[in-house]
Amino acid sequence: MKLNPLENLIENLCKLPGIGRKTAQRLAFFIMSMEEKEALQIADSIINLKKNARYCSVCFNITQNEKCNICNNPERQHSIICVVEEPSNIVLIEKTGYKGVYHVLGGTFSPNDGITAEKLKIKELEERVKTGQIEEVIIATSPNTKGELTAQWIADILKKYKIKVSRIAYGLPIGIDIEFADEVTLLKALEGRKPINV
Ligand code: ZN
């Protein structure tokens, strides 16, 4: 059965995180009421993102080029890698003035949801540590069960290399998603990072 255009949009908006059916309905009706030009701009920006954005070949940040601006910047400290869950976490950590580079895992270890270690970019991280001049890996996954599990997993894998592996200290409430941390808390967390005991 083919959905009518409004139902079709509602169904598609429901696929977005944090958007339930009610919100999707509200958004769809709002889009219907918008100027056609403005509504099409939203549609175009999605097309543009999907056609022109890709993942950085080094750190898996989102970029338009083969390498992202951070990996390409000679002024960054390429010997320090901050490991994050999602590209959106980079925006937050950038606000703290962090000068190293990043590695995006693409999620956290969560076998129940089918996210096993192989699905995360852990092998790629190990490869960077193995072949690059890396001095420190700072693991900035969320201080919840999945984030901790992932941090331990990575620390375990990196144990055999002669580098410092640290976990950001959290003034954050335990269980919180890093996405909801403010920049002051995050800066303190970075400064207070501690070596991981494995
Ligand atoms: Zn990059």
Side-chain angles (χ1 to χ4, degrees):
M1 194 182 71
K2 214 166 165 244
L3 295 171
N4 71 43
L6 189 66
E7 273 301 317
N8 184 34
L9 178 58
I10 293 168
E11 287 294 318
N12 279 305
L13 289 171
C14 279
K15 294 175 188 163
L16 300 172
I19 308 280
R21 198 157 179 91
K22 263 202 169 143
T23 310
Q25 267 169 4
R26 204 159 45 82
L27 290 172
F29 279 111
F30 181 78
I31 291 168
M32 183 65 206
S33 73
M34 285 171 93
E35 293 283 340
E36 184 171 333
K37 199 174 126 226
E38 276 189 47
L40 291 182
Q41 263 173 16
I42 297 177
D44 277 348
S45 60
I46 295 175
I47 295 168
N48 187 33
L49 176 74
K50 291 308 290 181
K51 288 225 161 108
N52 296 314
R54 46 166 295 170
Y55 292 104
C56 171
S57 63
V58 179
C59 74
F60 303 97
N61 186 11
I62 295 168
T63 172
Q64 281 183 283
N65 307 307
E66 203 242 323
K67 274 192 193 182
C68 74
N69 289 340
I70 295 171
C71 287
N72 256 336
N73 185 346
E75 300 197 338
R76 307 283 306 210
Q77 276 180 281
H78 291 265
S79 59
I80 303 179
I81 299 177
C82 180
V83 178
V84 294
E85 295 168 15
E86 303 292 345
S88 59
N89 299 151
I90 291 179
V91 182
L92 293 171
I93 294 178
E94 281 297 279
K95 286 189 189 155
T96 68
Y98 168 75
K99 287 282 170 278
V101 292
Y102 295 92
H103 191 86
V104 181
L105 292 173
T108 43
F109 193 52
S110 176
N112 290 344
D113 306 318
I115 305 178
T116 53
E118 297 78 52
K119 291 230 168 111
L120 303 172
K121 303 287 183 201
I122 294 177
K123 231 184 276 139
E124 288 82 351
L125 174 66
E126 190 181 0
E127 210 50 43
R128 283 177 79 181
V129 168
K130 217 190 280 179
T131 53
Q133 311 243 298
I134 308 302
E135 284 163 21
E136 181 175 7
V137 171
I138 305 166
I139 305 175
T141 49
S142 300
N144 51 31
T145 315
K146 289 172 187 173
E148 290 300 340
L149 212 64
T150 310
Q152 277 302 327
W153 187 274
I154 293 172
D156 235 11
I157 288 173
L158 298 183
K159 194 160 57 175
K160 55 181 177 287
Y161 302 99
K162 299 265 171 283
I163 57 160
K164 209 197 282 176
V165 179
S166 52
R167 176 90 174 103
I168 58 175
Y170 280 100
L172 302 175
I174 298 296
I176 198 184
D177 194 298
I178 194 164
E179 198 66 35
F180 300 113
D182 65 86
E183 60 199 79
V184 178
T185 312
L186 213 49
L187 177 60
K188 284 209 179 114
L190 264 178
E191 286 172 347
R193 63 187 185 265
K194 303 220 164 51
I196 292 196
N197 304 317
V198 284

